[in-house]
Amino acid sequence: TRTPVNVTVTGAAGQIGYALLFRIASGQLLGADVPVKLRLLEIPQAVKAAEGTAMELDDCAFPLLRGIDITDDPNVAFSGANVALLVGARPRTKGMERGDLLEANGGIFKPQGKAINDNAADDIKVLVVGNPANTNALIARAAAPDVPADRFTAMTRLDHNRAATQLAQKLGAGVEEVKKLTIWGNHSATQYPDIFHAEVAGRNAAEAVNDEKWLAEEFIPTVAKRGAAIIEARGASSAASAANAAIDHVHTWVNGTADGDWTSMGIVSDGSYGVPEGLISSFPVTTKDGKYEIVQGLDINEFSRTRIDASVKELTEERDAVRSLGLI
Ligand code: NDP
């Protein structure tokens, strides 16, 4: 029998945590033949709620779930971790300045990065979901100098999935027929969902759509502002689809992209496509055997260039802000 994979989830008692943990335990994160041990990290006042979720996990009798530990100590939570999903974060509250938000999250992600550095398994893979995800990933990564930088990633898969559905619906196709979409930049309203290299049912998506006005005025804003639209409609945030995207992100990273397709991940830039080295920005990537590579050689037109640059500018500003706060 296989050794269980240790999966650490922070913010485990939150909304996304509740939508995520059962799917991890049922085998959807890593595969239907991979046993898992869950480590749940919470702040002290939420530990009891996490214990309640753990009771429900027990009650599911998942054959692949080989244990659940709950703690408020990051060093314990990340001990031997193979996969870490950093979900818990300080949400932006009304009237909060960006600097305060970054500082509050620095207080969470810096110690977690250090705890990962000191305690995680050699093959640790980190996905940051908690916002501002790219910059939180940058902070955690800077606090973990002994861990290869490419193990720190930020989630743009939800944006990718949202874009796939919008495009499929526009063209009357199935989502499974959409390939090679790209989300560039920051997981924020400046993100750029790029369909110029995408294919739908074997046809170039931008040519099939043939409507730049729809692209600029409907598709891009719909994808970028989807989170707010869901809060408006449901009265609660998009926790289930965020959890689904976290599952997809890790599953694809571990198990590989299909031939003829790629995915989007926030990763440390190597300078490709003019994105300054070291920023955590979303790129088109292929994955294989637990590693990923940026898709190279794509032709970036003027429409795309302007939008990628705008999102990267925002990432640069966030990086400069956390640098001046001494967080990286
Ligand atoms: P959620 O579980 O709904 O969200 C958690 C984080 O995910 C937020 O930063 C949220 O960002 C982000 N997120 C990313 N994508 C999405 C998306 N599409 N839709 C919604 N959220 C998204 O928050 P809760 O408040 O329910 O739970 C957070 C939990 O984290 C609490 O239980 C808290 O105690 C815990 N926590 C744990 C910490 C730790 O383990 N050390 C530290 C801090 C908090 P956004 O703010 O933009 O909605």
Side-chain angles (χ1 to χ4, degrees):
T1 56
R2 285 182 71 161
T3 337
V5 175
N6 293 322
V7 180
T8 302
V9 179
T10 76
Q15 298 305 311
I16 295 176
Y18 194 70
L20 182 62
L21 292 168
F22 298 86
R23 298 189 56 189
I24 298 173
S26 72
Q28 293 179 63
L29 186 76
L30 299 167
D33 56 348
V34 186
V36 292
K37 273 193 176 165
L38 282 170
R39 301 267 170 68
L40 312 185
L41 179 67
E42 259 298 352
I43 53 177
Q45 56 271 37
V47 162
K48 187 158 180 239
E51 285 169 356
T53 306
M55 289 162 71
E56 281 199 80
L57 283 161
D58 280 342
D59 294 349
C60 293
F62 287 120
L64 292 172
L65 183 57
R66 299 296 156 81
I68 313 171
D69 295 321
I70 303 164
T71 178
D72 61 6
D73 180 348
N75 286 315
V76 174
F78 294 113
S79 173
N82 306 105
V83 176
L85 302 171
L86 309 189
V87 178
R90 174 71 164 80
R92 190 192 295 258
T93 40
K94 236 187 173 150
M96 194 177 194
E97 297 291 332
R98 196 184 60 160
D100 296 337
L101 180 75
L102 293 171
E103 189 157 28
N105 279 299
I108 296 167
F109 287 88
K110 195 172 172 178
Q112 289 185 2
K114 169 122 182 37
I116 288 169
N117 189 70
D118 297 348
N119 300 284
D122 288 344
D123 68 346
I124 179 71
K125 289 181 169 62
V126 181
L127 168 62
V128 178
V129 175
N131 282 315
N134 298 54
T135 297
N136 288 339
L138 189 74
I139 294 168
R141 182 237 146 166
D146 303 332
V147 177
D150 64 4
R151 308 296 183 75
F152 285 88
T153 66
M155 189 168 90
T156 53
R157 183 61 175 267
L158 180 55
D159 310 304
H160 184 102
N161 289 347
R162 285 167 170 168
T165 298
Q166 293 302 317
L167 186 57
Q169 289 179 353
K170 170 76 174 169
L171 293 173
V175 273
E176 75 289 354
E177 295 179 292
V178 178
K179 316 262 190 244
K180 300 185 179 175
L181 263 175
T182 306
I183 304 294
W184 297 93
N186 201 1
H187 169 67
S188 77
T190 68
Q191 66 173 271
Y192 172 50
D194 179 355
I195 69 163
F196 286 100
H197 308 283
E199 291 165 11
V200 178
R203 261 189 93 187
N204 178 273
E207 283 167 22
V209 168
N210 191 27
D211 185 351
E212 200 168 292
K213 190 169 150 62
W214 175 81
L215 196 56
E217 293 174 19
E218 286 192 49
F219 173 74
I220 296 172
T222 298
V223 173
K225 296 178 191 163
R226 187 75 165 174
I230 287 167
I231 290 175
E232 173 67 27
R234 283 185 82 220
S237 69
S238 44
S241 49
N244 178 69
I247 296 272
D248 283 352
H249 176 114
V250 173
H251 191 275
T252 302
W253 187 356
V254 171
N255 294 300
T257 41
D259 282 344
D261 199 4
W262 64 62
T263 189
S264 304
M265 288 168 64
I267 57 169
V268 178
S269 175
D270 61 357
S272 292
Y273 296 101
V275 180
E277 209 177 324
L279 283 184
I280 298 209
S281 183
S282 187
F283 284 96
V285 298
T286 54
T287 59
K288 199 183 175 199
D289 300 330
K291 296 193 177 354
Y292 58 81
E293 274 178 27
I294 296 176
V295 176
Q296 295 295 342
L298 300 177
D299 182 36
I300 306 298
N301 64 18
E302 199 47 45
F303 184 96
S304 297
R305 189 74 261 168
T306 315
R307 288 165 174 82
I308 295 171
D309 288 350
S311 195
V312 168
K313 178 168 177 279
E314 183 183 53
L315 284 172
T316 308
E317 289 165 1
E318 289 183 15
R319 180 199 60 196
D320 293 348
V322 295
R323 192 178 273 162
S324 69
L325 290 165
L327 294 170
I328 60 169

